[in-house]
Amino acid sequence: MTFASVSAVTVMLLVVGAFLMLILNINHFADELEADVEIRVFVDREAEASDQDDLGDDISSLTAVEAVDYIPREEGLDTFIDGMGDEAEYFENLREENPLNDVFVVQASEPQQTEQVAEEIDRMDMVDNTEYGQQVFEQLFAATDFVRVVGLILILGLLFTAVFLIANTIKLTIIARKKEIQIMKLVGATNAFIRWPFFIEGLLLGVLGSLLPIVLLTYGYQRFYDAVSGAAQLEFFTFLPPESLLWQTALLLVSVGAVVGVWGSLMSVRKFLKT
Amino acid sequence: MTFASVSAVTVMLLVVGAFLMLILNINHFADELEADVEIRVFVDREAEASDQDDLGDDISSLTAVEAVDYIPREEGLDTFIDGMGDEAEYFENLREENPLNDVFVVQASEPQQTEQVAEEIDRMDMVDNTEYGQQVFEQLFAATDFVRVVGLILILGLLFTAVFLIANTIKLTIIARKKEIQIMKLVGATNAFIRWPFFIEGLLLGVLGSLLPIVLLTYGYQRFYDAVSGAAQLEFFTFLPPESLLWQTALLLVSVGAVVGVWGSLMSVRKFLKT
Amino acid sequence: MIQMHDVWKMYPNGVSAVNGISIHIKQGEFVYIVGASGAGKSTFIKMIYREEQPTQGDIMVGNWNLATMKESQIPLLRRSIGVVFQDFKLLPSMTVFENIAFAMEVLEAGKSTIRRSVMDVLDIVRLKNKARFLPHELSGGEQQRVSIARAIVNNPSVVICDEPTGNLDPETSWEIMHLLEEINDRGTTILMATHNKDIVNTMRKRVIAIDNGRISRDDVRGGYRYES
Amino acid sequence: MIQMHDVWKMYPNGVSAVNGISIHIKQGEFVYIVGASGAGKSTFIKMIYREEQPTQGDIMVGNWNLATMKESQIPLLRRSIGVVFQDFKLLPSMTVFENIAFAMEVLEAGKSTIRRSVMDVLDIVRLKNKARFLPHELSGGEQQRVSIARAIVNNPSVVICDEPTGNLDPETSWEIMHLLEEINDRGTTILMATHNKDIVNTMRKRVIAIDNGRISRDDVRGGYRYES
Ligand SMILES: Nc1ncnc2c1ncn2[C@@H]1O[C@H](COP(=O)(O)OP(=O)(O)OP(=O)(O)O)[C@@H](O)[C@H]1O
Ligand SMILES: Nc1ncnc2c1ncn2[C@@H]1O[C@H](COP(=O)(O)OP(=O)(O)OP(=O)(O)O)[C@@H](O)[C@H]1O
Ligand SMILES: [Mg+2]
Ligand SMILES: [Mg+2]
């Protein structure tokens, strides 16, 4: 009976924990993707050096701007021609009359502010135009926000499920004790006297039930992380480092286990104390 | 008691169903991303028209190749210059001596075969070099494969969890009946006679427990899908159309519910039949 | 009908409840089992319908050898024996009617036969008006009478009663006793563990006295005395 | 000590178990409650320790008015009353010792006091050697004696017994009766529902006969007879 409850708590918290880690990592990927979003500001070719300095200052002074980088058009052309690879020689003649603009590379403090910053900069003097991959990145924001919301809903749903299932399990084990509780009452036990052991049991049940998930998840995630950071092929993603993530998860699981255990236990015993 | 079991089944299948849909969609996104992977084959500038034809035939004849597209270098240059936008004029003089190659755009039947196909083509005559975004796409494959494996593990884990929790719940309800079963046996009931009602109950429990999840998920996904396909902002992703997905999910949930209900019921009663 | 040969029973906790009982009860006999509280009467009885198995010794009931019979035949054995349990053993979720009917459904009796027979026995134990009550809505004596009704409803060839009058007033007890005597007259073997001195001394039958798991006395027309 | 004034009890299913009982039992009295099976004896008793509440009428036990007392005081009422339940009501997961000790722990008695008192009462009911057994490992009569031991362990001012000898052999029954008499001599009020004619007729005390939920007779030194 007690084994049944503890194992139900264990399995449920395992799922919650695993899912929490998944969601936190998805969130982390989304953050990383967003951090790469930058605005390229093409400076008017007529601009003098002083104009360019002014523009750079103006951009830096925007509150929503985190970092500004300057790429002179000569450097831009070098990069462009280098990028052409074998065909580079055919483009060498572009150096005679460099067709490119000087460029400021701007990063907004919040990825979501990118569009607004780009519009502000667009309105400044000496700006030819700005580019920040409107299409793709708008969609990317929508996607990551979507993942966040879905993740949050899922994790709340799972927590609710866990609470429900655990309370359910405890209730069932206590229905079996209905008769015992009635006898105790007939022998003169107060409600508090009867409730106390159930409180302890619920607490123990929740905490015990959270131990195995914590151990398994800690071990599992650590191994997974080591394996993944060893394999170069996954550089595209980076995963959250185990330390902080595992502490968070462990704390959450113990608390959820304890709260749910105690709550479920007391809730279910309450019904039988009214006689 | 019966309510407790049915609701446990309901909640669990709801989670399994929701999760299944999520995984199927993630899988679908991954498929879509992968489908975009193409190989650009740069043809040697010395190649004659007949050489090019031969090469095209050779490529098409590879079993792992799905589609081949030919882009003459003039067309390639047009596209390039058009892509330059305002600066296009500075590149017009490239037309005098087109620095580009003719290109075959090749799509492998299986995205995973891209690398191998590219290598084979690379070894052919008159091929200057091939390009298919080795870096990014290798990582992308790793990522989508990773999502698939994680998804599969998670859904198996959840199903296992569901089976375990439901069996657990049923067992608890049956422990409460232990005495009844013993009395029935003492009055001369055979095991089959006792088992029959539990079989029916388990079946009912599982099927009833799967109804609400099916209704909720069908309704929820339909609404979600309508909302999403209405909103232009999510064009970046496409979701699986409800029809087939929902049938699959519904069937899976009913089956899982029924199997688990019957199995859990019979398993738990079995223990008490040995006397 | 019922034969035991050097039967011993030790419970898993080490208590030796029956210590070498040999006995022969013929078809149609009426036997009282008497003895102090804890002497081993219930254990003796439980071994007959195989709720407990002896640690040693042979038991024959009808044509069944309880030691060698197949697991699947136990229900058949039990259907041929009507038992009034000391703790009644009523199914708490079934009404009085259903409790008794259940013992007949097990035999795959027809619905109308069941209905008739159940109402007949309920009439005999004077509980016809409580047919739709649940066990917990009955007094102790009423529960005991339901248990008695269930034991006799199938006209079994043996009726075993474990203190069937423990919760009954003398008047009702005598009614039950007359009923058992009547059934006995029709050829049914009756085994009855009891503490009721009055009954044993008045309605003279074979008395087997058990003391500390051993038979201390076996009188064809004995009185209530179990001290050796 | 115990007073009832025109008390009626109808169960939710419509059965009228007690129909206007008025009674006065003084501190230190010894009272038998007799009556046919289903007459209402247990219902009458259950209302005294408030397992059941009357549909109508007033009940006073000691200084408590059961109708107006606070929910939180019910445990105090019950601690002052020792009850031997007709169906024993032992906690199945506790040993014999723990079952009896539990009734003392409720009073927050010290560990060594509990140990001593429990072993004392177990000695009285002759179950000292079964202190560590679980209820299901006991015979019917042994369970009944545990229930008796639990009822008296706290030296309550009232002891209520619902057929305390139903599963006991005459000898053990008499031992229990002498014990109850002894307790009664020390000033404890004793109420005992019983079907045991021998006892009632031999150990003459006040007899209240209940018939169909009504008091049909109330004799100071009566015999066993409940028919009016
Ligand atoms: N919980 C209950 N719900 C409904 N009816 C009940 C309940 N308990 C008892 N009764 C009915 O009330 C009547 C009196 O029952 P009670 O238990 O008081 O009888 P009793 O005198 O103790 O009988 P016995 O000697 O058989 O124990 C009976 O007809 C019984 O069926
Ligand atoms: N399930 C069990 N496990 C362990 N010991 C048991 C079990 N059942 C009975 N006993 C012990 O076996 C002995 C005989 O018990 P049994 O029930 O046969 O006595 P009894 O003669 O029926 O007594 P009573 O008249 O009190 O019903 C007792 O000492 C009892 O404690
Ligand atoms: Mg017995
Ligand atoms: Mg009663």
Side-chain angles (χ1 to χ4, degrees):
Chain A
M1 209 91 107
T2 315
F3 171 75
S5 325
V6 173
S7 53
V9 177
T10 303
V11 172
M12 206 55 225
L13 288 182
L14 203 60
V15 176
V16 171
F19 210 72
L20 182 72
M21 287 176 167
L22 186 76
I23 298 284
L24 286 177
N25 269 302
I26 289 182
N27 217 12
H28 173 66
F29 299 154
D31 277 348
E32 285 204 332
L33 283 178
E34 285 177 355
D36 285 345
V37 181
E38 49 187 32
I39 305 166
R40 300 179 75 83
V41 180
F42 297 90
V43 182
D44 199 321
R45 290 166 64 90
E46 250 90 86
E48 315 265 303
S50 66
D51 292 336
Q52 297 209 354
D53 288 350
D54 287 353
L55 180 58
D57 291 348
D58 284 354
I59 294 175
S60 303
S61 68
L62 288 175
T63 47
V65 165
E66 174 129 328
V68 180
D69 208 8
Y70 179 67
I71 304 173
R73 56 173 139 169
E74 293 75 25
E75 195 182 325
L77 190 61
D78 285 350
T79 314
F80 173 75
I81 292 176
D82 286 355
M84 286 297 140
D86 292 350
E87 286 80 22
E89 50 186 306
Y90 304 105
F91 294 96
E92 285 298 340
N93 59 344
L94 287 176
R95 293 202 195 278
E96 287 158 26
E97 190 181 2
N98 188 339
L100 301 180
N101 306 50
D102 298 311
V103 170
F104 284 103
V105 177
V106 178
Q107 180 134 27
S109 336
E110 293 291 327
Q112 280 80 356
Q113 294 171 321
T114 307
E115 184 171 2
Q116 174 215 334
V117 169
E119 277 171 9
E120 278 185 62
I121 295 175
D122 230 4
R123 268 180 262 118
M124 293 178 181
D125 278 347
M126 295 296 156
V127 170
D128 201 35
N129 74 329
T130 55
E131 240 182 58
Y132 64 95
Q134 285 91 332
Q135 296 295 331
V136 175
F137 291 117
E138 260 175 26
Q139 288 174 358
L140 188 65
F141 291 155
T144 54
D145 274 355
F146 172 72
V147 166
R148 278 210 189 99
V149 170
V150 166
L152 200 72
I153 292 176
L154 271 172
I155 204 124
L156 283 179
L158 265 174
L159 268 181
F160 172 78
T161 310
V163 169
F164 177 82
L165 280 172
I166 291 172
N168 208 350
T169 310
I170 295 177
K171 194 153 89 196
L172 283 174
T173 69
I174 286 186
I175 281 176
R177 297 216 201 146
K178 182 176 151 184
K179 242 183 163 170
E180 283 191 59
I181 295 175
Q182 281 171 348
I183 295 177
M184 289 178 180
K185 292 213 73 180
L186 287 179
V187 173
T190 57
N191 287 351
F193 191 91
I194 295 174
R195 213 183 279 122
W196 184 237
F198 284 99
F199 176 88
I200 298 289
E201 188 183 304
L203 191 69
L204 263 181
L205 194 149
V207 173
L208 274 185
S210 67
L211 288 189
L212 192 65
I214 289 174
V215 170
L216 283 183
L217 289 176
T218 303
Y219 179 77
Y221 192 78
Q222 188 75 54
R223 286 211 57 168
F224 167 80
Y225 187 81
D226 290 351
V228 160
S229 25
Q233 70 189 99
L234 270 167
E235 273 160 31
F236 183 59
F237 286 155
T238 72
F239 288 87
L240 286 169
E243 294 76 32
S244 65
L245 174 66
L246 291 177
W247 274 110
Q248 277 178 39
T249 311
L251 227 84
L252 185 91
L253 292 188
V254 171
S255 325
V256 169
V259 167
V260 160
V262 167
W263 178 77
S265 198
L266 292 187
M267 278 304 290
S268 357
V269 87
R270 212 181 60 159
K271 196 173 137 198
F272 301 113
L273 289 178
K274 294 180 193 152
T275 308
Chain B
M1 207 90 107
T2 315
F3 171 76
S5 325
V6 174
S7 54
V9 177
T10 302
V11 171
M12 205 56 225
L13 288 182
L14 204 58
V15 175
V16 170
F19 210 72
L20 182 72
M21 287 176 167
L22 186 76
I23 297 284
L24 287 176
N25 269 304
I26 289 182
N27 219 11
H28 173 67
F29 298 155
D31 277 348
E32 286 204 332
L33 282 178
E34 285 177 355
D36 286 343
V37 181
E38 49 186 30
I39 305 166
R40 300 178 76 81
V41 180
F42 297 90
V43 183
D44 198 323
R45 291 167 63 88
E46 252 90 87
E48 316 265 299
S50 67
D51 292 336
Q52 297 208 352
D53 289 350
D54 287 352
L55 181 60
D57 290 347
D58 283 353
I59 295 176
S60 304
S61 69
L62 288 175
T63 46
V65 165
E66 174 129 330
V68 181
D69 208 6
Y70 178 68
I71 303 173
R73 54 173 138 172
E74 292 74 26
E75 195 181 326
L77 189 61
D78 286 350
T79 314
F80 173 75
I81 292 177
D82 286 355
M84 286 298 140
D86 292 351
E87 286 81 23
E89 50 186 305
Y90 303 104
F91 294 95
E92 283 296 343
N93 58 345
L94 286 177
R95 292 200 197 277
E96 287 156 26
E97 189 180 3
N98 187 337
L100 301 181
N101 305 50
D102 298 312
V103 170
F104 284 103
V105 178
V106 178
Q107 181 132 27
S109 336
E110 293 290 325
Q112 280 81 356
Q113 293 172 321
T114 307
E115 183 170 4
Q116 175 215 331
V117 169
E119 278 170 9
E120 276 185 63
I121 295 176
D122 228 2
R123 267 180 265 118
M124 293 178 180
D125 279 347
M126 295 297 157
V127 169
D128 203 32
N129 73 328
T130 56
E131 241 183 57
Y132 64 95
Q134 282 92 334
Q135 297 296 330
V136 174
F137 291 118
E138 261 175 26
Q139 288 172 0
L140 187 65
F141 291 155
T144 53
D145 273 355
F146 172 72
V147 166
R148 280 214 186 95
V149 171
V150 167
L152 199 72
I153 291 175
L154 271 173
I155 204 121
L156 282 179
L158 265 174
L159 269 180
F160 172 80
T161 311
V163 169
F164 177 83
L165 281 172
I166 291 171
N168 209 350
T169 310
I170 295 178
K171 195 153 87 197
L172 284 173
T173 67
I174 287 188
I175 280 176
R177 297 215 200 146
K178 181 175 153 182
K179 244 185 164 170
E180 284 192 58
I181 295 176
Q182 282 171 348
I183 295 176
M184 290 178 178
K185 291 215 73 179
L186 286 179
V187 173
T190 57
N191 287 351
F193 190 90
I194 295 174
R195 213 183 278 122
W196 184 239
F198 284 99
F199 176 87
I200 297 290
E201 185 183 306
L203 191 69
L204 263 179
L205 192 150
V207 173
L208 275 184
S210 67
L211 288 188
L212 192 66
I214 289 174
V215 170
L216 283 183
L217 289 176
T218 302
Y219 179 76
Y221 191 77
Q222 189 75 54
R223 287 211 56 165
F224 168 79
Y225 187 81
D226 291 351
V228 158
S229 24
Q233 70 190 97
L234 270 168
E235 273 162 31
F236 183 59
F237 286 154
T238 73
F239 288 86
L240 286 169
E243 295 75 33
S244 66
L245 175 67
L246 291 177
W247 272 110
Q248 276 178 40
T249 311
L251 227 84
L252 185 91
L253 291 188
V254 171
S255 324
V256 169
V259 167
V260 161
V262 168
W263 178 77
S265 197
L266 291 187
M267 279 304 290
S268 357
V269 88
R270 210 180 60 157
K271 196 172 138 200
F272 301 114
L273 289 178
K274 294 182 193 152
T275 309
Chain C
M1 179 74 206
I2 299 172
Q3 290 182 54
M4 291 198 182
H5 181 68
D6 193 28
V7 168
W8 297 69
K9 171 69 188 180
M10 180 182 274
Y11 281 106
N13 66 354
V15 172
S16 221
V18 165
N19 304 305
I21 284 188
S22 298
I23 206 161
H24 187 178
I25 296 170
K26 284 191 281 293
Q27 176 71 43
E29 273 196 284
F30 194 126
V31 184
Y32 293 120
I33 318 285
V34 302
S37 171
K41 301 181 295 298
S42 296
T43 306
F44 171 79
I45 279 176
K46 284 176 185 168
M47 288 190 295
I48 296 173
Y49 57 88
R50 215 165 178 272
E51 184 176 345
E52 296 289 350
Q53 276 187 279
T55 338
Q56 192 188 309
D58 293 324
I59 305 179
M60 293 284 302
V61 176
N63 296 318
W64 280 291
N65 179 331
L66 300 204
T68 60
M69 75 188 295
K70 273 192 244 135
E71 191 86 19
S72 61
Q73 289 188 307
I74 296 176
L76 297 178
L77 165 73
R78 290 182 177 156
R79 289 176 198 175
S80 69
I81 303 176
V83 183
V84 182
F85 303 94
Q86 190 167 10
D87 53 356
F88 317 147
K89 294 209 194 298
L90 302 179
L91 292 162
S93 56
M94 292 188 186
T95 65
V96 167
F97 182 93
E98 290 162 353
N99 260 286
I100 301 171
F102 185 81
M104 295 193 74
E105 278 161 16
V106 155
L107 294 174
E108 279 155 29
K111 264 205 163 171
S112 61
T113 325
I114 291 182
R115 222 196 126 62
R116 203 163 352 96
S117 309
V118 172
M119 288 324 269
D120 282 353
V121 288
L122 277 178
D123 197 24
I124 292 175
V125 298
R126 290 195 293 123
L127 282 176
K128 223 170 167 174
N129 59 334
K130 305 234 155 129
R132 315 180 118 221
F133 283 35
L134 289 171
H136 80 265
E137 297 172 336
L138 300 179
S139 80
E142 286 163 350
Q143 290 180 33
Q144 193 155 42
R145 283 182 274 157
V146 176
S147 184
I148 293 169
R150 181 180 59 186
I152 62 175
V153 73
N154 281 326
N155 292 314
S157 57
V158 190
V159 173
I160 298 182
C161 308
D162 202 349
E163 310 197 15
T165 61
N167 289 272
L168 297 179
D169 55 284
E171 203 184 336
T172 312
S173 299
W174 277 113
E175 280 173 27
I176 298 295
M177 289 314 297
H178 291 310
L179 170 66
L180 289 177
E181 198 168 36
E182 202 179 290
I183 294 172
N184 178 238
D185 285 343
R186 281 190 250 134
T188 306
T189 313
I190 307 242
L191 244 80
M192 169 172 162
T194 186
H195 292 306
N196 198 315
K197 214 162 154 176
D198 277 359
I199 289 178
V200 177
N201 289 338
T202 310
M203 198 185 273
R204 289 281 167 143
K205 303 286 180 187
R206 177 175 174 187
V207 175
I208 294 174
I210 294 183
D211 187 21
N212 240 316
R214 260 188 214 95
I215 295 187
S216 61
R217 192 165 52 90
D218 187 348
D219 293 346
V220 177
R221 289 192 98 73
Y224 187 95
R225 240 183 342 103
Y226 51 85
E227 313 81 10
S228 46
Chain D
M1 180 74 207
I2 299 173
Q3 290 182 54
M4 292 198 183
H5 181 68
D6 193 30
V7 168
W8 295 69
K9 171 70 187 179
M10 181 183 275
Y11 283 107
N13 66 355
V15 171
S16 220
V18 166
N19 304 304
I21 283 188
S22 297
I23 208 161
H24 187 180
I25 295 170
K26 284 191 281 292
Q27 177 71 42
E29 270 195 289
F30 194 125
V31 183
Y32 294 119
I33 317 285
V34 301
S37 170
K41 302 181 297 298
S42 296
T43 307
F44 171 79
I45 279 176
K46 284 177 185 167
M47 289 190 295
I48 296 173
Y49 58 87
R50 215 165 179 275
E51 184 177 341
E52 296 290 350
Q53 276 186 279
T55 340
Q56 192 188 309
D58 293 324
I59 306 179
M60 293 283 303
V61 176
N63 296 319
W64 280 290
N65 180 332
L66 300 203
T68 61
M69 75 188 296
K70 272 191 244 136
E71 190 88 17
S72 61
Q73 289 188 307
I74 297 176
L76 298 178
L77 166 72
R78 289 181 180 160
R79 289 175 199 176
S80 69
I81 303 177
V83 182
V84 182
F85 303 92
Q86 190 168 10
D87 53 356
F88 318 147
K89 294 212 195 293
L90 302 178
L91 292 161
S93 56
M94 292 188 185
T95 65
V96 167
F97 182 93
E98 289 162 356
N99 259 285
I100 301 172
F102 185 82
M104 295 193 75
E105 279 160 16
V106 155
L107 294 175
E108 278 156 29
K111 264 206 164 175
S112 61
T113 327
I114 291 183
R115 218 194 132 61
R116 206 168 344 98
S117 310
V118 172
M119 287 323 266
D120 282 353
V121 287
L122 277 180
D123 198 23
I124 293 174
V125 297
R126 291 193 294 124
L127 281 176
K128 222 170 168 173
N129 60 335
K130 305 234 154 128
R132 316 181 114 219
F133 283 35
L134 290 171
H136 81 264
E137 297 172 333
L138 300 179
S139 80
E142 286 163 350
Q143 291 180 34
Q144 192 155 41
R145 284 182 273 156
V146 177
S147 184
I148 293 169
R150 182 179 59 187
I152 62 176
V153 73
N154 281 328
N155 292 314
S157 56
V158 188
V159 173
I160 297 182
C161 308
D162 201 348
E163 311 196 16
T165 61
N167 288 274
L168 297 180
D169 54 286
E171 202 183 336
T172 313
S173 300
W174 277 114
E175 280 173 27
I176 298 295
M177 289 314 298
H178 292 310
L179 170 67
L180 288 178
E181 197 166 38
E182 203 179 287
I183 294 172
N184 177 239
D185 286 344
R186 282 191 248 132
T188 306
T189 313
I190 307 239
L191 243 81
M192 170 171 160
T194 186
H195 290 307
N196 199 315
K197 212 163 157 178
D198 277 0
I199 289 176
V200 177
N201 287 339
T202 310
M203 199 185 270
R204 288 281 167 143
K205 305 283 180 191
R206 175 173 175 190
V207 175
I208 295 175
I210 295 183
D211 187 20
N212 242 317
R214 262 189 211 91
I215 295 186
S216 60
R217 190 164 56 90
D218 188 349
D219 293 347
V220 177
R221 288 191 100 71
Y224 187 93
R225 238 184 347 103
Y226 52 84
E227 311 81 10
S228 44

